[in-house]
Amino acid sequence: MRAVIPYKKQNAKSRLSPALTLEEREYFVELMLRDVVESLQAAGVNKIDVLTTPQNGVPDDLDVDIIFSEHDLNKAINGYLETVDEPVLVIMADLPLVTPQHIRNITDIEDDLVIVPGKGGGTNVLFIKNPDSFYVRYYDSSYINHCRIAQEMQQSVHVFDSFLLSTDIDEPQDLVEIMLHGHGLSKSYIDSKFGMEDNGRARVRVSLCQ
Amino acid sequence: MRAVIPYKKQNAKSRLSPALTLEEREYFVELMLRDVVESLQAAGVNKIDVLTTPQNGVPDDLDVDIIFSEHDLNKAINGYLETVDEPVLVIMADLPLVTPQHIRNITDIEDDLVIVPGKGGGTNVLFIKNPDSFYVRYYDSSYINHCRIAQEMQQSVHVFDSFLLSTDIDEPQDLVEIMLHGHGLSKSYIDSKFGMEDNGRARVRVSLCQ
């Protein structure tokens, strides 16, 4: 099997801008990428492609292959799927809570397709056993899209139920989850920048370190 | 083992008020309670207590024991824990995505304490093997509280990783998760009232059925 991580550094994670500057966001997404790659490698996945735009931004020291694509996300990944003839793990770069055990568990599942849902109908991870019998359609309720495409292509589906893997980091409030449940470089960075305070409603929220 | 479900019907889930009227919210929380009880029973848990305020609100036809308490949540649960001498599953009433398999998996874990985290540092489920060696502290980063209390009381901890069980239903956006991943009475009700629309940002949001 191999893994592919779609990645875009430039002006990444604009919805985090209330909490992080542009430079901080671009630094932070690189740390999240490193954490994802680390978990894949620790799980024994040694064929890792990073699919990115020609501006690149992937650090040189990562033991990954870089694939450039000018296309939008769906075209880029579907183009990539046409070039591979082994199972492919499509894992997003903003999942710093992923652990090697998640990767092992997902890749042990026997169904044709494993979907890890994200919040609000998104798709965080896909494990595609038969890349010639699947295509992706991210954005616009991608979870529903991917279930439907699997059904259309007669691929059996397993929905993988993990809080940590459903937690993609998009908005300031998501940073709390890194503080509470994270590990690795992204946790160290976020811990150095933020604290938590109670908001009186059974939730914690981020606050700048004083 | 036994299960206890803290429950309060009156003016429940005020943060859902952008989406549901008071009557609808009170009806909906009862449906969520029914779904939680159903999953417990299907998992073979037949000793189920509902811990509620004297105004009650628990439907008569549920096969549960009702325990009244005037106290706040923490005092009520801690008082309850003092009366039991078997493992206790404390499961919140707003977890309609819970399945019988979750219950079986949690209760099979051998650690002294199983914690199912909620979003933003909350605690959705606790499985307390030794009720005389634990006490609860909900609100104000309860996840951290409960990990700390377990450490203080020398109880081993397993953090249970489930997207569905981490999804407590508090805000209108959470209703999407019921539509996408739910089952049972709460899903039927929410499906009858709402649809989904894409907001152009890779997430879906609730919209009123036309």
Side-chain angles (χ1 to χ4, degrees):
Chain A
M1 61 149 289
R2 59 193 316 116
V4 63
I5 312 171
Y7 180 66
K8 189 177 171 219
K9 182 171 182 172
Q10 293 72 27
N11 198 25
K13 295 293 167 192
S14 55
R15 281 154 72 197
L16 287 177
S17 55
L20 295 168
T21 65
L22 173 60
E23 286 88 354
E24 289 170 337
R25 284 187 275 120
E26 291 189 351
Y27 181 61
F28 176 54
V29 296
E30 186 182 303
L31 295 182
M32 290 201 287
L33 174 67
R34 286 182 182 278
D35 283 339
V36 172
V37 170
E38 170 66 32
S39 285
L40 286 167
Q41 291 171 338
V45 179
N46 46 31
K47 290 191 281 182
I48 302 171
D49 296 319
V50 177
L51 184 57
T52 190
T53 59
Q55 292 88 341
N56 197 352
V58 181
D60 294 330
D61 62 308
L62 273 189
D63 187 13
V64 299
D65 290 320
I66 303 175
I67 298 177
F68 296 108
S69 174
E70 298 244 20
H71 296 308
D72 73 15
L73 181 68
N74 287 314
K75 284 196 176 118
I77 295 177
N78 287 326
Y80 174 88
L81 291 177
E82 285 173 14
T83 69
V84 300
D85 57 7
E86 58 185 318
V88 176
L89 185 77
V90 186
I91 176 165
M92 293 334 207
D94 60 353
L95 303 175
L97 305 186
V98 67
T99 65
Q101 193 59 51
H102 288 130
I103 304 300
R104 285 187 283 262
N105 290 348
I106 287 169
T107 54
D108 278 349
I109 290 164
E110 294 189 352
D111 289 278
D112 297 318
L113 184 77
V114 181
I115 302 181
V116 184
K119 296 166 289 182
T123 303
N124 285 358
V125 184
L126 288 170
F127 185 47
I128 305 165
K129 290 289 175 62
N130 309 305
D132 59 355
S133 301
F134 194 74
Y135 59 95
V136 300
R137 199 173 161 197
Y138 289 92
Y139 305 130
D140 298 341
S141 49
S142 69
Y143 174 78
I144 293 174
N145 294 343
H146 292 140
C147 289
R148 181 183 50 73
I149 292 165
Q151 189 177 35
E152 171 190 308
M153 307 293 276
Q154 298 182 311
Q155 301 293 288
S156 63
V157 178
H158 180 102
V159 179
F160 188 82
D161 180 29
S162 161
F163 168 53
L164 299 179
L165 267 191
S166 75
T167 303
D168 42 300
I169 307 301
D170 278 322
E171 296 169 331
Q173 192 56 22
D174 299 329
L175 301 177
V176 171
E177 311 300 354
I178 296 180
M179 286 185 255
L180 290 170
H181 306 291
H183 58 273
L185 299 170
S186 41
K187 176 167 165 59
S188 300
Y189 182 68
I190 295 303
D191 280 349
S192 75
K193 285 211 159 288
F194 299 102
M196 286 187 291
E197 64 185 30
D198 298 315
N199 67 1
R201 272 196 315 190
R203 298 276 172 89
V204 287
R205 63 182 175 197
V206 289
S207 57
L208 285 169
C209 286
Q210 298 305 323
Chain B
M1 62 150 288
R2 60 193 315 117
V4 63
I5 312 171
Y7 180 67
K8 189 177 170 215
K9 182 172 181 171
Q10 291 74 27
N11 198 26
K13 294 296 169 190
S14 55
R15 282 154 71 198
L16 286 176
S17 55
L20 295 168
T21 66
L22 172 61
E23 286 87 353
E24 289 169 337
R25 283 187 275 121
E26 291 189 351
Y27 181 61
F28 176 53
V29 296
E30 187 182 303
L31 296 182
M32 290 200 288
L33 174 67
R34 288 181 181 278
D35 283 340
V36 172
V37 170
E38 170 65 34
S39 285
L40 286 167
Q41 290 170 337
V45 179
N46 46 32
K47 288 191 283 182
I48 303 170
D49 296 320
V50 176
L51 185 57
T52 189
T53 59
Q55 292 89 340
N56 197 354
V58 181
D60 294 330
D61 62 307
L62 273 190
D63 187 13
V64 300
D65 289 321
I66 303 176
I67 297 177
F68 296 109
S69 175
E70 300 243 22
H71 295 309
D72 73 15
L73 181 68
N74 286 315
K75 286 195 175 121
I77 295 176
N78 286 328
Y80 173 88
L81 290 178
E82 285 172 14
T83 68
V84 299
D85 57 7
E86 57 184 320
V88 177
L89 185 76
V90 186
I91 176 164
M92 293 334 206
D94 60 354
L95 302 175
L97 304 186
V98 67
T99 64
Q101 192 59 51
H102 288 130
I103 304 300
R104 285 188 282 261
N105 290 348
I106 287 169
T107 54
D108 278 348
I109 289 164
E110 295 189 351
D111 288 279
D112 297 319
L113 184 77
V114 180
I115 302 181
V116 183
K119 297 165 290 180
T123 302
N124 285 359
V125 184
L126 289 170
F127 185 47
I128 305 165
K129 290 291 176 60
N130 309 306
D132 59 354
S133 301
F134 194 74
Y135 59 95
V136 300
R137 199 173 160 198
Y138 289 92
Y139 305 130
D140 299 341
S141 50
S142 68
Y143 174 78
I144 293 174
N145 294 342
H146 292 140
C147 289
R148 183 184 50 74
I149 292 165
Q151 188 177 33
E152 170 189 310
M153 308 292 276
Q154 297 182 311
Q155 301 293 286
S156 63
V157 178
H158 179 102
V159 179
F160 188 82
D161 180 28
S162 160
F163 168 52
L164 299 179
L165 267 191
S166 75
T167 303
D168 43 298
I169 306 301
D170 279 321
E171 297 169 330
Q173 191 57 21
D174 299 330
L175 300 177
V176 171
E177 310 300 355
I178 296 180
M179 286 185 255
L180 290 170
H181 306 291
H183 58 274
L185 299 170
S186 42
K187 175 166 165 60
S188 300
Y189 182 68
I190 295 303
D191 281 348
S192 75
K193 286 214 157 286
F194 299 102
M196 286 188 290
E197 62 185 31
D198 297 316
N199 67 1
R201 274 192 319 189
R203 298 275 173 89
V204 287
R205 64 181 175 197
V206 290
S207 57
L208 285 171
C209 287
Q210 298 306 321

